[in-house]
């Protein structure tokens, strides 16, 4: 089960597991999946809608039986000075990054088999630095995963977090192109990252739970 599978890192994760022959249930905001994954079941919808997530879990039970692995790769970002940010924008950032993961955990992890399961949440390096609202949302995701890991340890459910740095997804690329000098802005953003470069979505191969366990 992979959320946020219609773009960016979530799309790369879905492609990776599809290549390994996994039986997949994918979801994202976009009505159609990019690429060719004819064997995967794709259900488009909003993970902040609990009725949709509840229905998603029911379809997961029918399609997969047990859910042995789940990835939460939803992401929503907005940037503005704190005093200029609207309440609606702040709410959307928290809902899109944190509460969507909460709903996925709440409804999908009861489908874990007795042998255990793994859930991987995609946070961000910015969850540990100061970027107004986005950092609290991604930092909150780290805390949520830590709490869930402790709560579900007796059920052998592993909950882990990966925190990628700057990743050149289509959304990020589009934001570069809106700048007066895209190449210069790209260099500035890359220099501000820990490794001084921007990764490609498929570059985060360590996202599989076999390493983050």
């Amino acid at each position: 089960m992979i959320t946020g599978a219609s773009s960016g890192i979530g799309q790369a994760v879905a492609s990776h597991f599809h290549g390994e022959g996994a039986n997949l249930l994918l979801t994202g905001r976009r009505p159609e999946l990019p690429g060719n994954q004819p064997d995967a079941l794709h259900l488009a919808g909003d993970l902040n809608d609990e009725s949709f997530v509840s229905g998603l879990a029911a379809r997961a039970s029918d399609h997969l039986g047990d859910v042995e692995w789940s990835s939460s790769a939803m992401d929503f970002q907005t940037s503005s000075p704190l005093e200029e940010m609207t309440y609606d924008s702040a709410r959307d950032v928290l809902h899109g990054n944190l509460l969507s993961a909460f709903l996925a955990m709440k409804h999908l992890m009861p489908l874990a088999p007795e042998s255990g399961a793994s859930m991987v949440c995609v946070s961000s390096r910015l969850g540990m630095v100061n970027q107004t609202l986005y950092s609290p949302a991604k930092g909150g995701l780290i805390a949520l995963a830590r709490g869930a890991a402790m709560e579900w340890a007796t059920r052998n459910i592993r909950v882990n977090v990966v925190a990628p740095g700057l990743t050149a997804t289509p959304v990020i690329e589009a934001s570069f192109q809106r700048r007066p000098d895209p190449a210069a802005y790209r260099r500035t953003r890359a220099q501000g990252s820990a490794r001084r470069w921007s990764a490609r979505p498929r570059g985060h191969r360590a996202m599989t739970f076999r390493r983050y366990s």
Side-chain angles (χ1 to χ4, degrees):
M1 169 72 196
I2 300 173
T3 70
S6 58
S7 64
I9 293 174
Q11 179 185 348
V13 174
S15 176
H16 173 74
F17 277 96
H18 181 264
E20 291 193 348
N23 188 18
L24 297 175
L25 173 58
L26 309 177
T27 186
R29 296 188 184 98
R30 297 181 181 180
E32 295 183 359
L33 283 176
N36 181 26
Q37 299 182 35
D39 299 330
L41 175 61
H42 173 240
L43 301 174
D46 183 0
L47 286 183
N48 289 306
D49 179 352
E50 186 163 11
S51 62
F52 169 74
V53 181
S54 176
L56 190 67
R59 290 295 300 274
S61 179
D62 292 339
H63 183 67
L64 303 175
D66 295 329
V67 175
E68 296 180 352
W69 193 87
S70 178
S71 169
S72 179
M74 295 293 291
D75 187 85
F76 184 87
Q77 184 173 8
T78 187
S79 179
S80 70
L82 180 62
E83 65 274 14
E84 296 177 9
M85 183 173 290
T86 66
Y87 172 80
D88 287 347
S89 294
R91 179 198 58 208
D92 290 345
V93 171
L94 292 172
H95 282 192
N97 295 289
L98 179 56
L99 294 181
S100 61
F102 156 71
L103 287 176
M105 289 181 180
K106 174 182 175 180
H107 290 280
L108 290 169
M109 285 301 96
L111 302 179
E114 292 186 2
S115 58
S118 184
M119 179 159 192
V120 177
C121 299
V122 180
S123 180
S124 169
R125 182 185 64 84
L126 295 177
M128 295 169 279
V129 298
N130 294 324
Q131 185 173 18
T132 306
L133 261 298
Y134 187 70
S135 293
K138 288 297 191 182
L141 184 58
I142 295 170
L144 174 65
R146 184 184 296 117
M150 295 175 64
E151 182 175 332
W152 290 336
T154 57
R155 296 173 54 194
N156 197 30
I157 296 176
R158 298 172 295 180
V159 185
N160 300 290
V161 177
V162 291
L166 180 62
T167 305
T169 65
V171 171
I172 295 297
E173 292 284 1
S175 73
F176 290 164
Q177 296 306 313
R178 289 194 293 268
R179 300 286 172 165
D181 188 341
Y185 184 68
R186 181 190 300 276
R187 289 192 297 270
T188 299
R189 288 292 304 272
Q191 286 299 312
S193 67
R195 295 187 177 182
R196 301 294 188 266
W197 52 272
S198 59
R200 308 303 301 180
R202 286 186 62 85
H204 296 294
R205 294 186 63 83
M207 237 179 292
T208 61
F209 68 82
R210 286 169 298 193
R211 180 171 177 179
Y212 282 85
S213 60

